[in-house]
């Protein structure tokens, strides 16, 4: 893909959201500012130059692709992932690609919810390089998301001799979070954080966010609030953390606190959804209308692209903002076939109850019982479904 085509595709990806915000208009004068673009990252510029200067060398391409992935994680902007894939295009489909390329390819496949393909890449890596800690951690993460607890624990076990103790504890806690071992997972994380001392900010954010979510699942509002705020001091713009805290606030009837929290993050679909849910809870229907229209435009654009990454969010949008329980149930079922995290389970229960389809609820109810899943909100939903 040429640079010009990549730029055009990036702009096209942005157009649906721009069109939904406001109708076209002519500026009053040439001095009027109509948009403010992000500042060019000087480090990114240097990485691009290095990759362009050595197109046959995977090392500068990997450095640039990793930077794009980091930017995508920080902003939840999917265009960065597309740019990372474009950088790796010369090696993308090659069976003899270096393991470093395969690992990044697995990360990008994981981000696109192509979990089977990502696992195939990771199993190739650990088969040829069994001491690759990042591959074991990524494999465990995918297994946890898909509900393969024994597989995730086994992968975490392989990680234990290769990574810091806190990372291993976090891996095991994530694997056990949706089982009857949830409280043990929380205690393991607390112990790991206490012992860790100085840790990388991204690891500390991951652990603090997980601890906050686990406290919320037990119904310990005070502990969850304190942990969320501590995590936000470490990473105030982390998109996953902001979404998790916004969900906590919504569950606690504190919708009025959500718009300020997410004010600068409306380009992120998941966070715009939380903003809209808060407006609905507050009865701010006039402000809700444009946010709902914007979300509809983004989900329609994703459907045209064949993008199924945000099925969970689309199910929430369809149920709570459009009021279409049957359509929401269909989306939640499609999503749950791919991933089985707590939020995936919860929206499936909510949509099934709203549509009064008890037959659709039976698989998820059996899975909850088999796993021993613990969460105060899900427990209430299960009681209603039983």
């Amino acid at each position: 893909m040429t640079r010009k085509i990549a730029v055009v595709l990036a702009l096209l990806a942005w157009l649906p959201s721009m069109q939904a915000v406001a109708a076209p208009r002519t500026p009053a004068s040439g001095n009027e500012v109509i948009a403010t673009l992000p500042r060019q990252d000087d480090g990114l510029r240097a990485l691009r130059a290095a990759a362009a200067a050595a197109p046959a060398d995977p090392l500068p391409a990997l450095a640039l692709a990793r930077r794009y992935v980091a930017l995508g994680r920080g902003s939840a902007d999917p265009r960065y992932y597309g740019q990372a894939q474009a950088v790796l295009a010369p090696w993308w489909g090659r069976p003899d690609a270096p393991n470093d390329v395969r690992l990044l390819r697995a990360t990008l496949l994981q981000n696109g919810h192509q979990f089977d393909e990502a696992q195939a890449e990771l199993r190739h890596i650990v088969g040829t390089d069994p001491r690759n800690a990042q591959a074991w951690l990524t494999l465990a993460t995918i297994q946890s998301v898909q509900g393969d607890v024994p597989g995730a624990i086994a992968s975490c076990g392989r990680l234990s001799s290769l990574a810091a103790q806190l990372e291993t504890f976090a891996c095991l806690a994530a694997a056990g979070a949706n089982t009857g071992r949830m409280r043990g997972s929380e205690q393991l994380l607390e112990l790991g954080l206490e012992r860790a001392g100085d840790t990388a900010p991204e690891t500390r954010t991951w652990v603090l966010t997980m601890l906050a979510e686990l406290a919320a699942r037990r119904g310990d509002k005070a502990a969850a609030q304190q942990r969320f705020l501590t995590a936000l001091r470490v990473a105030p713009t982390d998109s996953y953390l902001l979404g998790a805290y916004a969900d906590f606030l919504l569950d606690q009837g504190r919708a009025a606190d959500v718009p300020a929290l997410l004010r600068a993050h409306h380009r992120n679909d998941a966070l715009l959804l939380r903003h809209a849910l808060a407006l609905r809870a507050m009865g701010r229907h006039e402000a809700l209308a444009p946010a709902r229209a914007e979300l509809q435009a983004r989900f329609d654009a994703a459907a045209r692209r064949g993008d199924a990454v945000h099925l969970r969010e689309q199910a929430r949008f369809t149920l709570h903002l459009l009021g279409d329980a049957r359509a929401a149930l269909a989306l939640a079922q499609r999503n749950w076939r791919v991933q089985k995290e707590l939020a995936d389970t919860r929206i499936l229960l909510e949509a099934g109850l709203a549509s009064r389809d008890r037959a659709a609820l039976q698989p998820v109810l059996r899975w909850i019982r088999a796993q021993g899943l613990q969460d105060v909100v899900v427990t209430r939903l299960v009681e209603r479904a039983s």
Side-chain angles (χ1 to χ4, degrees):
M1 180 185 297
T2 67
R3 177 178 173 81
K4 183 180 289 185
I5 293 173
V7 170
V8 170
L9 290 176
L11 288 172
L12 287 174
W14 198 17
L15 281 175
S17 61
M18 293 173 63
Q19 292 168 345
V21 173
R25 67 181 183 82
T26 301
S29 75
N31 295 324
E32 183 178 348
V33 176
I34 60 173
T36 302
L37 299 178
R39 291 182 180 272
Q40 177 65 55
D41 183 324
D42 289 337
L44 190 57
R45 184 185 292 114
L47 290 170
R48 285 172 176 162
D57 185 351
L59 293 181
L62 279 165
L64 176 57
R66 289 186 185 113
R67 178 61 180 151
Y68 280 135
V69 169
L71 290 168
R73 282 176 172 160
S75 65
D77 187 336
R79 291 173 295 170
Y80 286 118
Y81 297 111
Q83 289 169 317
Q85 183 171 338
V87 169
L88 296 177
W91 303 274
W92 186 262
R94 286 174 51 174
D96 62 340
N99 276 350
D100 284 347
V101 172
R102 285 182 175 271
L103 181 56
L104 204 50
R105 188 161 64 189
T107 299
L108 293 167
L109 290 167
Q110 173 196 9
N111 179 73
H113 291 189
Q114 295 174 265
F115 295 129
D116 291 343
E117 295 88 341
Q119 285 206 47
E121 292 286 353
L122 294 165
R123 292 190 185 282
H124 174 89
I125 295 169
V126 298
T128 58
D129 179 14
R131 294 191 60 78
N132 193 313
Q134 187 59 52
W136 284 116
L137 179 58
T138 306
L139 181 58
T141 300
I142 294 174
Q143 291 165 322
S144 295
V145 167
Q146 294 196 291
D148 179 7
V149 175
I153 291 174
S155 295
C156 293
R158 297 299 297 268
L159 181 69
S160 62
S161 63
L162 306 172
Q165 187 181 67
L166 182 58
E167 290 178 346
T168 301
F169 282 6
C171 183
L172 289 167
N178 288 332
T179 72
R181 295 187 291 272
M182 186 187 81
R183 183 57 180 148
S185 296
E186 186 177 357
Q187 292 169 337
L188 188 67
L189 273 184
E190 289 176 311
L191 176 62
L193 193 59
E194 181 182 324
R195 290 180 176 178
D198 290 337
T199 58
E202 58 270 19
T203 301
R204 189 169 184 82
T205 302
W206 176 30
V207 170
L208 284 168
T209 304
M210 206 185 316
L211 281 169
E213 291 178 305
L214 291 170
R217 289 173 64 167
R218 289 190 290 105
D220 190 339
K221 303 173 188 177
Q225 171 74 6
Q226 182 268 323
R227 290 168 176 176
F228 274 125
L229 293 180
T230 302
L232 284 166
R233 285 194 289 272
V234 178
T237 62
D238 184 90
S239 57
Y240 181 87
L241 169 58
L242 288 167
Y245 185 42
D247 284 339
F248 171 74
L249 293 173
L250 289 167
D251 282 343
Q252 301 309 313
R254 296 170 56 190
D257 293 336
V258 173
L261 175 73
L262 304 181
R263 182 174 292 121
H265 304 281
H266 292 179
R267 286 180 62 187
N268 180 315
D269 296 355
L271 299 185
L272 179 60
L273 172 64
R274 271 77 168 181
H275 171 74
L277 291 170
L279 295 177
R280 176 181 177 272
M282 296 161 65
R284 293 176 54 185
H285 302 296
E286 187 173 331
L288 172 60
R292 185 167 50 206
E294 168 71 355
L295 283 164
Q296 185 67 72
R298 294 187 192 185
F299 289 131
D300 289 346
R304 288 193 295 272
R305 295 193 302 269
D307 182 350
V309 170
H310 296 303
L311 286 176
R312 177 204 299 167
E313 285 73 20
Q314 189 174 0
R316 288 182 71 180
F317 169 77
T318 303
L319 179 62
H320 298 301
L321 296 179
L322 298 185
D324 189 339
R326 296 301 306 178
L329 176 60
L331 289 164
Q333 288 174 314
R334 280 180 60 199
N335 174 67
W336 203 73
R337 285 194 288 270
V338 177
Q339 55 181 24
K340 295 178 173 61
E341 294 185 280
L342 176 67
D344 307 301
T345 303
R346 175 172 166 175
I347 185 57
L348 179 52
L349 287 169
E350 290 174 339
L353 285 167
S355 61
R356 300 180 182 178
D357 190 338
R358 293 192 175 272
L361 290 173
Q362 296 314 304
V364 69
L365 291 173
R366 287 194 295 270
W367 185 83
I368 289 170
R369 287 192 290 268
Q371 294 289 108
L373 187 147
Q374 298 170 296
D375 175 75
V376 291
V377 176
V378 165
T379 296
R380 290 196 293 268
L381 293 171
V382 169
E383 288 172 353
R384 288 175 54 195
S386 300

